[in-house]
Amino acid sequence: MSSTIIRTDQLCYNYTKGVSTLTDIHLQVNRGDIYGFLGPNGSGKTTTLSLLLGLLKTQHGTIEILGKDLQHHRKEVLRKVGSLIESPSLYNHLTAKENLEVYREIYGASKARLQGVLNIVGLSDTGKKTVRQFSLGMRQRLSIALALLPKPELLILDEPTNGLDPAGILELRSLIRSLNKEEGITFLISSHILSEVEKMVNRIGIIYKGRMRFQGSLGELHKLQQQQSLVQLDTSDNLRAWAVLKKFQAELQDEDLVVPYTDLAQVAIINRMLIDNDLDVYNLHPRKQTLETIFINLTTE
Amino acid sequence: MTFTASLRSEFLKIKRTSLIYIILVAAFIIPFVMFFDYGSPDPEKLANGWDHFYKEATMVFVFVFLPMFFVLTSTLLMQIEVKNNAWKQVLASPQPFFNIIFAKFIIIQTLAFAFVVVYNAYMVLSAAVLDMAYGSDVLAYLKRWPELLKFNLNAFGATIGISTLGFWLALRSKNFIAPIAIGFLLWVIGPVSLEFKLPHIDKYVFVLPFTVFAKKFEHQRLFYQLLSLGYGLFFFTIAYVEFVWQRVQFKWLWQRPGRIVQ
Ligand SMILES: Nc1ncnc2c1ncn2[C@@H]1O[C@H](COP(=O)(O)OP(=O)(O)OP(=O)(O)O)[C@@H](O)[C@H]1O
Ligand SMILES: [Mg+2]
C-alpha cells in the first residue's frame, strides 16, 4: 500500500484562457496525514480540491490519488473518498435520512452505517424535518455525515467549519482527530485561518494566488517562523554596530538595525557584543514571528 | 455501484417535488376541456365519439402537451441538482457518467409514461360519464383497447426524439429559462412550418408526433418510429459526449498522461 495518498504534479488550471488560476501545484499528502490546505479568499483552494475530485477537467499536470491516476481510475478512486466542497450539496426537500439514502447504495453502505454517521454528527433525531428547515450548522453537519458515509480512506473537506458555532468547531476538530487516529482516515482540509487548523494538522500547504508558497510539516513551518524572527536595534552608532554584527546577517533598515535571531539567548549575545564594543544600546526590540505573521507574509506580496 | 443504485438514487430525489403534481394537473386539462366542450352524441355513431372525442383530444395531447412535458420536466429534474448545489456531490460519487445521466433519462421516461397513463385514465373517465349522461354504452370506448394501446405506443414512440432533445437542452443549461425557451421555440417551428407546408417538415423532430394522426403518413408509421428512435439516439449521444467532454480530456481515453517524476 502506497504511503502517498495524494500527489499532484505540475497541476495548472485556468477558468478563462490567459488567466491562470492555478500554477504548478504540487501537493503531497501522505497516509495518516491531517493536511491543512491554507490560503486567503480566492487563492485557489476550492479549484484545487475540485480538480482532485474530477469536478473540473484537468488541463495540465497529473493527479494521483491512493496510488492511482485519477483520469483512468475515477470510479475506483472516488469510492474511497468522501468530500465536502464549498457549500453543502443537500436536497432541501428531503430529510436528513433521505439525503443519505440517496447515496447509500451508490457507496454500498449499510443502513446501520447510515444511522451511524447520523449519530456521529448528532443528527439522529431530526425525524421528518426536511433540510430546508435546518440551520446552517445542521446542514454542515449533515454534509459531513454524507462525506463519512462511504467509510472513506481519504476525506477532502473544503472549509468544513463554515457556519459552525464554537462548540461545533471544537467538536468537529475532535471528530477529525479521532477518525484520523482510530480509523486511519487521511484528511485534506482547507481553511483560510491558520489558527483554526493549527492545532490538529501535522502537515501544511500554503497557497496564494494559485501558487504553492509553502509545503511541509508543522515543525518545518515553525522553523521558518524562527528563521524569520528579527531583533530591532538602535545604538549610539548604528553603522559601527552593523559592522560588529555582520556575521549575524545584520541589516540597516532606515534608522534601525535589524538582526535575525532564532532564540532569545542569541539576542542576549548580540546585546553583549554591542556593549563589549563600546556601543550604547538605546533600544532592543525582539520581534518574534508567529505562525500567523508567517502565514500573512507568505500570502501577501 | 450498479446502474440500479444510480436509478434508485434518482428516484429518491424526486420525492415530494412538483413533478408528480404536474402530471396530475397537466393530464387533466384536455379531458376537462373535452368534457365540457362535448355536444350531444352523433346519432350516426353508436358509442360516443372515438374520432371526435379521443383522437381529437389526444392529437393535441401528443403534439403539444407531451413535447412540452418533456421540456419542462427535464428542466425541473436538472434544477433539483442546480438549485441545491448538488451536482458536485453527484459527480464526486463513484458512478459512471453514463449511469448518472441515463438514470435521469429513465426518470423522465417513467414520468412521461405515467403522464400518458393518467391522461388516458382521465379520458376514459370523462367518456364514461358522458356516455352515462347520454345513455350510450359506457364500455364501448374501452372495448377498443387494442387500438387505444397501439395508438398510445405509437404516440409515445414518436416523441422519443423530442424527449432526448429536451433532455440535452436541460442538461447543458444551468438556468431554468433557457431550455424551456429554446424548447418552446423549436416546437413552434413545427406548427408554423406545417402551415406553410415546407418540404420534409414531416421529418422534423417536433413534427413526428403529428404523423401519428395524419392519414397521409399512415402507411409510413414504422419509418417515423425509427426516425424518432434515431433522433433519440443522436441527441442522447450528444448529451452524453458533451457531459463527459466537460470533465475529461478525451485524449486520455487512448493516451496516458505523462508519468509523475519521482
Ligand atoms: N467558476 C469560475 N469561473 C471563473 N473563475 C472562477 C470560478 N471559480 C473560481 N474562480 C476564480 O478562481 C480563483 C480561485 O478561486 P477559488 O474558489 O479556488 O478560491 P478559494 O481559495 O477557494 O477561495 P475562498 O477561500 O474564498 O473559498 C478566484 O480568483 C476566482 O475568482
Ligand atoms: Mg473556496
Side-chain angles (χ1 to χ4, degrees):
Chain A
M1 206 178 270
S2 153
S3 74
T4 306
I5 296 275
I6 300 177
R7 189 206 302 271
T8 70
D9 194 50
Q10 292 169 27
L11 196 59
C12 301
Y13 191 83
N14 42 302
Y15 286 101
T16 39
K17 264 211 162 67
V19 190
S20 63
T21 300
L22 294 182
T23 316
D24 199 9
I25 298 295
H26 49 94
L27 214 61
Q28 187 176 339
V29 181
N30 299 321
R31 187 173 291 277
D33 273 353
I34 301 182
Y35 185 107
F37 191 39
L38 295 159
N41 292 135
S43 52
K45 301 182 297 293
T46 302
T47 307
T48 308
L49 301 185
S50 302
L51 283 166
L52 293 181
L53 291 165
L55 300 177
L56 292 171
K57 179 156 145 178
T58 307
Q59 296 166 338
H60 184 268
T62 49
I63 300 172
E64 251 185 36
I65 297 180
L66 297 159
K68 294 207 170 74
D69 178 78
L70 179 68
Q71 311 303 332
H72 289 92
H73 302 91
R74 182 179 157 269
K75 271 174 294 149
E76 275 174 86
V77 167
L78 291 179
R79 200 174 315 168
K80 295 175 196 145
V81 179
S83 65
L84 162 54
I85 297 294
E86 250 174 359
S87 50
S89 296
L90 300 167
Y91 299 101
N92 279 318
H93 58 287
L94 300 180
T95 64
K97 214 173 199 163
E98 287 166 346
N99 263 288
L100 295 177
E101 199 58 53
V102 163
Y103 285 102
R104 192 175 62 78
E105 284 196 3
I106 289 171
Y107 286 109
S110 66
K111 288 210 162 178
R113 174 74 187 163
L114 189 152
Q115 199 54 52
V117 294
L118 277 178
N119 288 339
I120 289 176
V121 298
L123 285 178
S124 47
D125 55 357
T126 52
K128 287 198 159 54
K129 229 186 207 185
T130 58
V131 169
R132 192 175 321 238
Q133 297 156 288
F134 277 22
S135 72
L136 188 58
M138 288 165 80
R139 282 169 212 223
Q140 198 69 10
R141 281 160 197 265
L142 184 55
S143 304
I144 290 162
L146 188 54
L148 289 174
L149 189 68
K151 276 206 174 181
E153 284 181 36
L154 167 67
L155 261 172
I156 296 180
L157 305 175
D158 190 12
E159 309 201 7
T161 51
N162 244 350
L164 293 183
D165 52 25
I169 293 176
L170 285 180
E171 240 171 78
L172 180 63
R173 220 179 272 162
S174 71
L175 173 66
I176 289 172
R177 255 193 238 113
S178 78
L179 286 172
N180 176 253
K181 214 182 214 161
E182 279 147 37
E183 301 191 25
I185 300 177
T186 305
F187 284 85
L188 170 55
I189 303 169
S190 87
S191 173
H192 46 261
I193 304 166
L194 176 66
S195 59
E196 206 177 78
V197 294
E198 190 190 327
K199 290 190 199 73
M200 61 177 169
V201 302
N202 65 326
R203 234 172 114 76
I204 282 182
I206 295 176
I207 186 176
Y208 178 62
K209 295 211 165 163
R211 287 172 190 274
M212 292 294 282
R213 289 304 184 91
F214 173 86
Q215 180 167 241
S217 65
L218 201 57
E220 282 168 302
L221 191 64
H222 275 292
K223 215 180 258 166
L224 193 66
Q225 164 198 354
Q226 284 165 356
Q227 282 165 2
Q228 294 200 0
S229 294
L230 300 169
V231 56
Q232 196 174 347
L233 289 164
D234 192 18
T235 62
S236 47
D237 185 348
N238 281 352
L239 207 60
R240 203 152 62 78
W242 171 69
V244 168
L245 298 175
K246 218 164 186 172
K247 67 165 182 186
F248 288 97
Q249 275 114 36
E251 258 180 71
L252 275 168
Q253 277 180 10
D254 303 325
E255 308 285 278
D256 285 335
L257 189 65
V258 288
V259 189
Y261 74 95
T262 46
D263 56 69
L264 287 171
Q266 223 176 351
V267 176
I269 294 170
I270 287 168
N271 187 34
R272 189 163 308 140
M273 275 180 78
L274 293 172
I275 293 166
D276 290 349
N277 282 283
D278 291 328
L279 285 154
D280 293 332
V281 178
Y282 303 143
N283 184 20
L284 183 147
H285 179 50
R287 276 193 325 213
K288 192 169 159 52
Q289 292 274 25
T290 60
L291 281 184
E292 207 59 56
T293 52
I294 285 284
F295 177 53
I296 288 168
N297 288 347
L298 285 169
T299 55
T300 42
E301 305 285 359
Chain B
M1 223 278 302
T2 53
F3 181 68
T4 50
S6 302
L7 199 57
R8 178 174 175 273
S9 165
E10 293 300 329
F11 268 109
L12 285 167
K13 287 178 200 171
I14 61 170
K15 197 173 170 182
R16 286 198 284 272
T17 59
S18 55
L19 290 164
I20 316 294
Y21 302 102
I22 288 178
I23 290 176
L24 294 178
V25 174
F28 189 62
I29 298 171
I30 295 179
F32 183 80
V33 171
M34 289 310 281
F35 183 82
F36 286 100
D37 218 30
Y38 192 70
S40 48
D42 191 339
E44 301 289 297
K45 297 186 180 104
L46 278 176
N48 91 41
W50 168 256
D51 282 324
H52 294 288
F53 188 77
Y54 186 77
K55 271 198 165 176
E56 210 171 86
T58 306
M59 189 169 128
V60 178
F61 179 76
V62 176
F63 192 45
V64 184
F65 277 60
L66 205 49
M68 284 301 119
F69 180 84
F70 278 120
V71 171
L72 186 69
T73 47
S74 297
T75 308
L76 288 175
L77 194 74
M78 301 304 170
Q79 283 296 311
I80 295 178
E81 307 288 6
V82 175
K83 255 184 356 210
N84 295 309
N85 286 317
W87 265 124
K88 54 183 155 65
Q89 202 76 40
V90 173
L91 291 164
S93 65
Q95 305 178 77
F97 291 126
F98 181 81
N99 288 13
I100 293 175
I101 68 166
F102 194 59
K104 286 196 186 293
F105 183 67
I106 295 289
I107 299 283
I108 298 288
Q109 290 298 323
T110 309
L111 289 172
F113 181 76
F115 187 46
V116 172
V117 169
V118 171
Y119 163 77
N120 275 282
Y122 284 148
M123 282 304 281
V124 167
L125 206 71
S126 49
V129 173
L130 289 172
D131 284 339
M132 254 188 298
Y134 291 104
S136 34
D137 181 6
V138 175
L139 291 179
Y141 182 23
L142 263 188
K143 276 178 195 150
R144 305 180 70 146
W145 70 266
E147 212 175 332
L148 206 68
L149 187 67
K150 196 173 144 216
F151 192 69
N152 274 287
L153 284 176
N154 264 322
F156 202 69
T159 56
I160 287 189
I162 297 171
S163 74
T164 54
L165 175 55
F167 185 78
W168 175 46
L169 289 175
L171 184 69
R172 71 192 313 276
S173 164
K174 289 208 173 44
N175 73 39
F176 184 87
I177 308 295
I180 292 183
I182 295 171
F184 184 72
L185 279 177
L186 289 175
W187 174 80
V188 163
I189 293 174
V192 170
S193 345
L194 276 176
E195 201 61 36
F196 290 109
K197 295 201 167 48
L198 292 184
H200 296 300
I201 193 61
D202 53 311
K203 295 174 192 77
Y204 178 50
V205 62
F206 275 96
V207 175
L208 290 180
F210 185 75
T211 64
V212 177
F213 300 93
K215 279 259 177 326
K216 194 175 143 197
F217 302 114
E218 215 162 31
H219 53 289
Q220 294 185 63
R221 201 124 291 164
L222 183 65
F223 167 75
Y224 290 111
Q225 289 293 315
L226 290 176
L227 187 59
S228 176
L229 192 66
Y231 271 123
L233 285 172
F234 177 69
F235 288 124
F236 191 82
T237 306
I238 291 186
Y240 172 63
V241 169
E242 190 183 49
F243 192 73
V244 176
W245 162 251
Q246 287 165 347
R247 290 158 185 96
V248 177
Q249 298 266 11
F250 280 168
K251 66 176 184 207
W252 286 332
L253 296 179
W254 58 85
Q255 175 189 324
R256 302 217 130 230
R259 291 304 300 167
I260 289 168
V261 200
Q262 300 283 342

Short mmCIF file of all heavy atoms in Angstrom, two decimals, chain B residues 2-45:
data_model
loop_
_atom_site.label_atom_id
_atom_site.label_comp_id
_atom_site.label_asym_id
_atom_site.label_seq_id
_atom_site.Cartn_x
_atom_site.Cartn_y
_atom_site.Cartn_z
N THR B 2 -23.96 -0.30 -9.02
CA THR B 2 -24.52 -0.72 -10.30
C THR B 2 -25.48 0.36 -10.80
O THR B 2 -25.70 1.36 -10.14
CB THR B 2 -25.30 -2.02 -10.11
OG1 THR B 2 -26.22 -1.79 -9.06
CG2 THR B 2 -24.38 -3.16 -9.76
N PHE B 3 -26.05 0.11 -11.97
CA PHE B 3 -26.99 1.07 -12.52
C PHE B 3 -28.23 1.20 -11.64
O PHE B 3 -28.77 2.29 -11.48
CB PHE B 3 -27.37 0.68 -13.95
CG PHE B 3 -28.32 1.67 -14.56
CD1 PHE B 3 -27.90 2.96 -14.85
CD2 PHE B 3 -29.64 1.31 -14.80
CE1 PHE B 3 -28.78 3.89 -15.39
CE2 PHE B 3 -30.52 2.24 -15.34
CZ PHE B 3 -30.09 3.52 -15.64
N THR B 4 -28.64 0.10 -11.04
CA THR B 4 -29.85 0.17 -10.20
C THR B 4 -29.64 1.10 -9.01
O THR B 4 -30.58 1.78 -8.59
CB THR B 4 -30.25 -1.23 -9.68
OG1 THR B 4 -29.11 -1.84 -9.11
CG2 THR B 4 -30.81 -2.11 -10.78
N ALA B 5 -28.43 1.16 -8.51
CA ALA B 5 -28.15 2.07 -7.39
C ALA B 5 -28.31 3.52 -7.85
O ALA B 5 -28.88 4.36 -7.14
CB ALA B 5 -26.75 1.84 -6.85
N SER B 6 -27.84 3.81 -9.05
CA SER B 6 -27.99 5.17 -9.59
C SER B 6 -29.46 5.49 -9.81
O SER B 6 -29.92 6.59 -9.53
CB SER B 6 -27.25 5.30 -10.92
OG SER B 6 -25.90 4.99 -10.76
N LEU B 7 -30.18 4.49 -10.32
CA LEU B 7 -31.59 4.69 -10.61
C LEU B 7 -32.37 4.94 -9.32
O LEU B 7 -33.20 5.85 -9.23
CB LEU B 7 -32.13 3.44 -11.32
CG LEU B 7 -33.42 3.60 -12.10
CD1 LEU B 7 -33.29 4.68 -13.15
CD2 LEU B 7 -33.81 2.27 -12.77
N ARG B 8 -32.05 4.16 -8.31
CA ARG B 8 -32.71 4.30 -7.02
C ARG B 8 -32.45 5.70 -6.45
O ARG B 8 -33.34 6.37 -5.94
CB ARG B 8 -32.16 3.24 -6.07
CG ARG B 8 -32.72 3.30 -4.68
CD ARG B 8 -32.23 2.12 -3.85
NE ARG B 8 -32.68 2.25 -2.48
CZ ARG B 8 -32.03 2.93 -1.55
NH1 ARG B 8 -30.90 3.55 -1.86
NH2 ARG B 8 -32.50 3.00 -0.32
N SER B 9 -31.20 6.12 -6.57
CA SER B 9 -30.80 7.44 -6.10
C SER B 9 -31.64 8.52 -6.79
O SER B 9 -32.15 9.44 -6.13
CB SER B 9 -29.31 7.61 -6.39
OG SER B 9 -28.92 8.93 -6.30
N GLU B 10 -31.81 8.41 -8.09
CA GLU B 10 -32.57 9.43 -8.83
C GLU B 10 -34.05 9.42 -8.45
O GLU B 10 -34.68 10.46 -8.36
CB GLU B 10 -32.40 9.23 -10.34
CG GLU B 10 -31.00 9.48 -10.86
CD GLU B 10 -30.51 10.90 -10.58
OE1 GLU B 10 -31.33 11.84 -10.54
OE2 GLU B 10 -29.29 11.07 -10.38
N PHE B 11 -34.58 8.22 -8.24
CA PHE B 11 -36.00 8.15 -7.86
C PHE B 11 -36.24 8.79 -6.49
O PHE B 11 -37.24 9.46 -6.27
CB PHE B 11 -36.50 6.70 -7.87
CG PHE B 11 -37.10 6.31 -9.19
CD1 PHE B 11 -36.45 5.42 -10.04
CD2 PHE B 11 -38.32 6.84 -9.59
CE1 PHE B 11 -37.00 5.09 -11.27
CE2 PHE B 11 -38.88 6.52 -10.81
CZ PHE B 11 -38.22 5.63 -11.66
N LEU B 12 -35.28 8.59 -5.59
CA LEU B 12 -35.42 9.17 -4.25
C LEU B 12 -35.44 10.70 -4.32
O LEU B 12 -36.11 11.36 -3.54
CB LEU B 12 -34.27 8.71 -3.36
CG LEU B 12 -34.38 7.27 -2.87
CD1 LEU B 12 -33.06 6.80 -2.27
CD2 LEU B 12 -35.49 7.15 -1.84
N LYS B 13 -34.70 11.24 -5.28
CA LYS B 13 -34.59 12.69 -5.36
C LYS B 13 -35.89 13.38 -5.78
O LYS B 13 -36.08 14.56 -5.48
CB LYS B 13 -33.50 13.09 -6.37
CG LYS B 13 -32.10 12.84 -5.88
CD LYS B 13 -31.11 13.20 -6.97
CE LYS B 13 -29.77 12.54 -6.73
NZ LYS B 13 -28.88 12.69 -7.87
N ILE B 14 -36.77 12.67 -6.52
CA ILE B 14 -37.98 13.35 -6.99
C ILE B 14 -39.12 13.28 -5.98
O ILE B 14 -40.18 13.86 -6.19
CB ILE B 14 -38.46 12.85 -8.37
CG1 ILE B 14 -38.79 11.36 -8.31
CG2 ILE B 14 -37.44 13.15 -9.44
CD1 ILE B 14 -39.51 10.90 -9.58
N LYS B 15 -38.87 12.59 -4.88
CA LYS B 15 -39.87 12.53 -3.82
C LYS B 15 -40.22 13.95 -3.36
O LYS B 15 -39.33 14.78 -3.19
CB LYS B 15 -39.25 11.75 -2.65
CG LYS B 15 -40.24 11.25 -1.65
CD LYS B 15 -39.50 10.36 -0.66
CE LYS B 15 -40.39 10.00 0.51
NZ LYS B 15 -39.70 9.19 1.50
N ARG B 16 -41.51 14.18 -3.18
CA ARG B 16 -42.01 15.48 -2.70
C ARG B 16 -41.70 16.67 -3.63
O ARG B 16 -41.74 17.82 -3.19
CB ARG B 16 -41.43 15.81 -1.32
CG ARG B 16 -42.07 15.00 -0.21
CD ARG B 16 -41.81 15.62 1.13
NE ARG B 16 -40.46 15.38 1.61
CZ ARG B 16 -40.10 14.31 2.30
NH1 ARG B 16 -41.00 13.40 2.63
NH2 ARG B 16 -38.88 14.16 2.70
N THR B 17 -41.37 16.41 -4.88
CA THR B 17 -41.16 17.54 -5.80
C THR B 17 -42.45 17.81 -6.56
O THR B 17 -43.41 17.04 -6.48
CB THR B 17 -40.04 17.25 -6.82
OG1 THR B 17 -40.41 16.08 -7.55
CG2 THR B 17 -38.72 17.02 -6.13
N SER B 18 -42.46 18.90 -7.32
CA SER B 18 -43.67 19.28 -8.04
C SER B 18 -43.95 18.38 -9.23
O SER B 18 -45.03 18.43 -9.82
CB SER B 18 -43.52 20.73 -8.53
OG SER B 18 -42.35 20.84 -9.29
N LEU B 19 -42.96 17.52 -9.59
CA LEU B 19 -43.11 16.70 -10.79
C LEU B 19 -44.38 15.85 -10.77
O LEU B 19 -45.07 15.73 -11.78
CB LEU B 19 -41.88 15.80 -10.96
CG LEU B 19 -40.61 16.57 -11.34
CD1 LEU B 19 -39.37 15.72 -11.10
CD2 LEU B 19 -40.67 17.00 -12.80
N ILE B 20 -44.68 15.28 -9.62
CA ILE B 20 -45.86 14.41 -9.50
C ILE B 20 -47.14 15.23 -9.74
O ILE B 20 -48.06 14.78 -10.44
CB ILE B 20 -45.93 13.77 -8.09
CG1 ILE B 20 -44.56 13.27 -7.64
CG2 ILE B 20 -46.98 12.67 -8.05
CD1 ILE B 20 -43.98 12.13 -8.42
N TYR B 21 -47.19 16.43 -9.18
CA TYR B 21 -48.40 17.25 -9.30
C TYR B 21 -48.58 17.74 -10.73
O TYR B 21 -49.70 17.85 -11.21
CB TYR B 21 -48.34 18.41 -8.32
CG TYR B 21 -48.20 17.92 -6.91
CD1 TYR B 21 -46.96 17.94 -6.27
CD2 TYR B 21 -49.29 17.37 -6.24
CE1 TYR B 21 -46.82 17.44 -4.99
CE2 TYR B 21 -49.15 16.86 -4.97
CZ TYR B 21 -47.92 16.90 -4.34
OH TYR B 21 -47.79 16.39 -3.09
N ILE B 22 -47.45 18.02 -11.38
CA ILE B 22 -47.54 18.45 -12.77
C ILE B 22 -48.25 17.38 -13.60
O ILE B 22 -49.13 17.68 -14.41
CB ILE B 22 -46.13 18.73 -13.34
CG1 ILE B 22 -45.60 20.02 -12.73
CG2 ILE B 22 -46.17 18.82 -14.86
CD1 ILE B 22 -44.22 20.39 -13.16
N ILE B 23 -47.90 16.14 -13.35
CA ILE B 23 -48.55 15.04 -14.08
C ILE B 23 -50.05 15.07 -13.83
O ILE B 23 -50.86 15.05 -14.77
CB ILE B 23 -47.97 13.68 -13.65
CG1 ILE B 23 -46.54 13.56 -14.16
CG2 ILE B 23 -48.84 12.53 -14.16
CD1 ILE B 23 -45.83 12.31 -13.70
N LEU B 24 -50.42 15.11 -12.57
CA LEU B 24 -51.84 15.02 -12.22
C LEU B 24 -52.64 16.20 -12.77
O LEU B 24 -53.77 16.04 -13.21
CB LEU B 24 -52.00 14.95 -10.69
CG LEU B 24 -51.44 13.67 -10.07
CD1 LEU B 24 -51.60 13.69 -8.56
CD2 LEU B 24 -52.11 12.43 -10.67
N VAL B 25 -52.04 17.38 -12.74
CA VAL B 25 -52.78 18.57 -13.18
C VAL B 25 -52.76 18.71 -14.70
O VAL B 25 -53.80 18.88 -15.34
CB VAL B 25 -52.19 19.84 -12.52
CG1 VAL B 25 -52.85 21.09 -13.09
CG2 VAL B 25 -52.38 19.77 -11.01
N ALA B 26 -51.55 18.58 -15.30
CA ALA B 26 -51.43 18.79 -16.74
C ALA B 26 -52.24 17.76 -17.53
O ALA B 26 -52.83 18.07 -18.56
CB ALA B 26 -49.97 18.77 -17.17
N ALA B 27 -52.28 16.53 -17.01
CA ALA B 27 -53.01 15.49 -17.73
C ALA B 27 -54.52 15.73 -17.67
O ALA B 27 -55.29 15.17 -18.45
CB ALA B 27 -52.68 14.11 -17.14
N PHE B 28 -54.94 16.54 -16.75
CA PHE B 28 -56.36 16.77 -16.52
C PHE B 28 -56.94 17.80 -17.49
O PHE B 28 -58.14 17.77 -17.79
CB PHE B 28 -56.55 17.24 -15.07
CG PHE B 28 -57.97 17.31 -14.64
CD1 PHE B 28 -58.76 16.17 -14.62
CD2 PHE B 28 -58.54 18.52 -14.26
CE1 PHE B 28 -60.08 16.22 -14.22
CE2 PHE B 28 -59.86 18.58 -13.87
CZ PHE B 28 -60.64 17.43 -13.84
N ILE B 29 -56.09 18.70 -17.97
CA ILE B 29 -56.58 19.86 -18.74
C ILE B 29 -57.41 19.45 -19.97
O ILE B 29 -58.56 19.85 -20.11
CB ILE B 29 -55.40 20.76 -19.17
CG1 ILE B 29 -54.70 21.30 -17.91
CG2 ILE B 29 -55.90 21.93 -20.04
CD1 ILE B 29 -53.41 22.03 -18.17
N ILE B 30 -56.84 18.62 -20.83
CA ILE B 30 -57.56 18.25 -22.06
C ILE B 30 -58.85 17.48 -21.78
O ILE B 30 -59.91 17.87 -22.28
CB ILE B 30 -56.63 17.47 -23.02
CG1 ILE B 30 -55.50 18.39 -23.48
CG2 ILE B 30 -57.42 16.97 -24.23
CD1 ILE B 30 -54.52 17.73 -24.41
N PRO B 31 -58.79 16.43 -20.98
CA PRO B 31 -60.05 15.72 -20.68
C PRO B 31 -61.12 16.66 -20.11
O PRO B 31 -62.30 16.55 -20.44
CB PRO B 31 -59.63 14.69 -19.64
CG PRO B 31 -58.19 14.47 -19.87
CD PRO B 31 -57.64 15.78 -20.34
N PHE B 32 -60.69 17.61 -19.32
CA PHE B 32 -61.61 18.58 -18.70
C PHE B 32 -62.29 19.43 -19.78
O PHE B 32 -63.51 19.58 -19.82
CB PHE B 32 -60.80 19.45 -17.73
CG PHE B 32 -61.62 20.45 -16.97
CD1 PHE B 32 -62.35 20.06 -15.85
CD2 PHE B 32 -61.65 21.78 -17.36
CE1 PHE B 32 -63.11 20.97 -15.14
CE2 PHE B 32 -62.41 22.70 -16.66
CZ PHE B 32 -63.13 22.30 -15.54
N VAL B 33 -61.45 19.97 -20.67
CA VAL B 33 -61.98 20.81 -21.74
C VAL B 33 -62.90 20.01 -22.65
O VAL B 33 -64.01 20.44 -23.00
CB VAL B 33 -60.83 21.45 -22.56
CG1 VAL B 33 -61.38 22.14 -23.81
CG2 VAL B 33 -60.05 22.42 -21.70
N MET B 34 -62.46 18.82 -23.01
CA MET B 34 -63.27 17.96 -23.89
C MET B 34 -64.61 17.65 -23.26
O MET B 34 -65.65 17.62 -23.93
CB MET B 34 -62.53 16.65 -24.18
CG MET B 34 -61.33 16.77 -25.08
SD MET B 34 -61.62 17.67 -26.61
CE MET B 34 -62.44 16.45 -27.61
N PHE B 35 -64.59 17.42 -22.00
CA PHE B 35 -65.80 17.05 -21.28
C PHE B 35 -66.85 18.15 -21.39
O PHE B 35 -68.01 17.89 -21.70
CB PHE B 35 -65.44 16.80 -19.81
CG PHE B 35 -66.61 16.35 -18.98
CD1 PHE B 35 -67.00 15.02 -18.98
CD2 PHE B 35 -67.33 17.26 -18.20
CE1 PHE B 35 -68.07 14.59 -18.22
CE2 PHE B 35 -68.40 16.84 -17.44
CZ PHE B 35 -68.77 15.50 -17.44
N PHE B 36 -66.44 19.39 -21.19
CA PHE B 36 -67.41 20.49 -21.21
C PHE B 36 -67.70 21.01 -22.62
O PHE B 36 -68.66 21.73 -22.83
CB PHE B 36 -66.94 21.62 -20.30
CG PHE B 36 -67.10 21.28 -18.85
CD1 PHE B 36 -66.01 20.85 -18.10
CD2 PHE B 36 -68.36 21.33 -18.26
CE1 PHE B 36 -66.19 20.50 -16.77
CE2 PHE B 36 -68.52 20.97 -16.93
CZ PHE B 36 -67.43 20.56 -16.20
N ASP B 37 -66.83 20.60 -23.54
CA ASP B 37 -66.98 21.05 -24.91
C ASP B 37 -67.88 20.10 -25.70
O ASP B 37 -68.30 20.39 -26.80
CB ASP B 37 -65.58 21.08 -25.57
CG ASP B 37 -65.46 22.26 -26.50
OD1 ASP B 37 -66.12 23.28 -26.23
OD2 ASP B 37 -64.70 22.15 -27.48
N TYR B 38 -68.16 18.99 -25.08
CA TYR B 38 -68.86 17.93 -25.78
C TYR B 38 -70.31 18.31 -26.03
O TYR B 38 -71.05 18.65 -25.11
CB TYR B 38 -68.79 16.66 -24.94
CG TYR B 38 -69.21 15.42 -25.68
CD1 TYR B 38 -68.41 14.90 -26.69
CD2 TYR B 38 -70.39 14.76 -25.35
CE1 TYR B 38 -68.79 13.75 -27.36
CE2 TYR B 38 -70.77 13.61 -26.02
CZ TYR B 38 -69.96 13.11 -27.03
OH TYR B 38 -70.34 11.98 -27.69
N GLY B 39 -70.71 18.22 -27.32
CA GLY B 39 -72.10 18.50 -27.67
C GLY B 39 -72.93 17.28 -27.35
O GLY B 39 -72.70 16.60 -26.35
N SER B 40 -73.86 16.99 -28.20
CA SER B 40 -74.62 15.76 -27.99
C SER B 40 -74.02 14.68 -28.88
O SER B 40 -73.33 14.98 -29.86
CB SER B 40 -76.09 16.00 -28.36
OG SER B 40 -76.15 16.63 -29.60
N PRO B 41 -74.22 13.43 -28.52
CA PRO B 41 -73.61 12.37 -29.32
C PRO B 41 -74.17 12.32 -30.74
O PRO B 41 -75.34 12.64 -30.96
CB PRO B 41 -73.96 11.11 -28.54
CG PRO B 41 -75.08 11.48 -27.63
CD PRO B 41 -75.03 12.95 -27.43
N ASP B 42 -73.29 11.99 -31.64
CA ASP B 42 -73.67 11.89 -33.04
C ASP B 42 -74.58 10.68 -33.21
O ASP B 42 -74.19 9.55 -32.90
CB ASP B 42 -72.37 11.70 -33.86
CG ASP B 42 -72.63 11.85 -35.34
OD1 ASP B 42 -73.79 11.69 -35.76
OD2 ASP B 42 -71.66 12.13 -36.06
N PRO B 43 -75.83 10.87 -33.72
CA PRO B 43 -76.74 9.74 -33.84
C PRO B 43 -76.24 8.70 -34.85
O PRO B 43 -76.60 7.53 -34.79
CB PRO B 43 -78.04 10.39 -34.33
CG PRO B 43 -77.67 11.74 -34.83
CD PRO B 43 -76.43 12.14 -34.13
N GLU B 44 -75.36 9.13 -35.74
CA GLU B 44 -74.78 8.21 -36.73
C GLU B 44 -73.88 7.17 -36.07
O GLU B 44 -73.68 6.09 -36.58
CB GLU B 44 -73.93 8.99 -37.75
CG GLU B 44 -74.69 10.05 -38.51
CD GLU B 44 -75.66 9.46 -39.51
OE1 GLU B 44 -75.18 8.78 -40.44
OE2 GLU B 44 -76.88 9.65 -39.34
N LYS B 45 -73.25 7.59 -34.97
CA LYS B 45 -72.29 6.70 -34.34
C LYS B 45 -72.88 6.15 -33.05
O LYS B 45 -73.51 6.88 -32.29
CB LYS B 45 -71.00 7.45 -34.05
CG LYS B 45 -70.37 7.92 -35.35
CD LYS B 45 -69.02 8.55 -35.12
CE LYS B 45 -68.43 9.01 -36.44
NZ LYS B 45 -68.52 10.46 -36.61
#
